[in-house]
Amino acid sequence: MFGFAGNGVKFLTGPLSNRAGVAPMMAGFVALMRLATVAVVAVPTEIGLLAAAVALGVGYGGVDALLAPLVRSLFGADHLSSVYGAVTPTFGVVGRLTPLAVGARFEQYESFTIPFTLAAGVGMVGVLAFAGLARFEN
């Protein structure tokens, strides 16, 4: 469901971002991922987990689809490949470190509630950052 939702949203992301702006859409997608992260521990049922997976897929798919247009909007097209290439490894670093951090906190607290809540708090920083970038878009 995560992958299906992530791929499906990419067809709608372009037209929606043309109207709303790339940075505000990114903020919305990150906010959706943040809420889905909280939902994993707040609604610990099969349906809650399925809904969280769909929401995470939509959020991640939207962020993935809009990253290159956001970089272009902020830095221009002249060096798009270089800037995009410098930005994208951050997703890999976060993707590798987050499971380790959550696992360490799970061992410490014997629950996913605190690590997932902390992750959602970090996600709020992302929401605010993307929302703030809207004023710098070309």
Side-chain angles (χ1 to χ4, degrees):
M1 293 309 295
F2 175 87
F4 181 74
N7 284 324
V9 74
K10 290 178 183 182
F11 292 104
L12 300 172
T13 301
L16 289 173
S17 68
N18 286 339
R19 289 183 161 201
V22 177
M25 288 293 297
M26 289 282 275
F29 285 127
V30 173
L32 181 61
M33 290 191 300
R34 180 180 172 272
L35 292 173
T37 302
V38 171
V40 169
V41 292
V43 187
T45 64
E46 290 178 9
I47 291 176
L49 185 58
L50 179 62
V54 169
L56 280 168
V58 168
Y60 190 84
V63 167
D64 185 43
L66 291 177
L67 186 58
L70 180 66
V71 169
R72 184 192 184 285
S73 177
L74 295 172
F75 299 100
D78 291 342
H79 303 287
L80 178 60
S81 296
S82 297
V83 176
Y84 185 79
V87 169
T88 55
T90 59
F91 287 96
V93 170
V94 170
R96 291 194 185 274
L97 295 180
T98 300
L100 296 172
V102 168
R105 296 293 74 86
F106 176 80
E107 289 179 6
Q108 181 180 0
Y109 300 113
E110 297 181 5
S111 169
F112 283 113
T113 302
I114 292 174
F116 275 56
T117 303
L118 291 172
V122 171
M124 189 62 196
V125 173
V127 171
L128 295 172
F130 283 120
L133 286 176
R135 63 184 164 159
F136 297 105
E137 281 190 276
N138 294 328

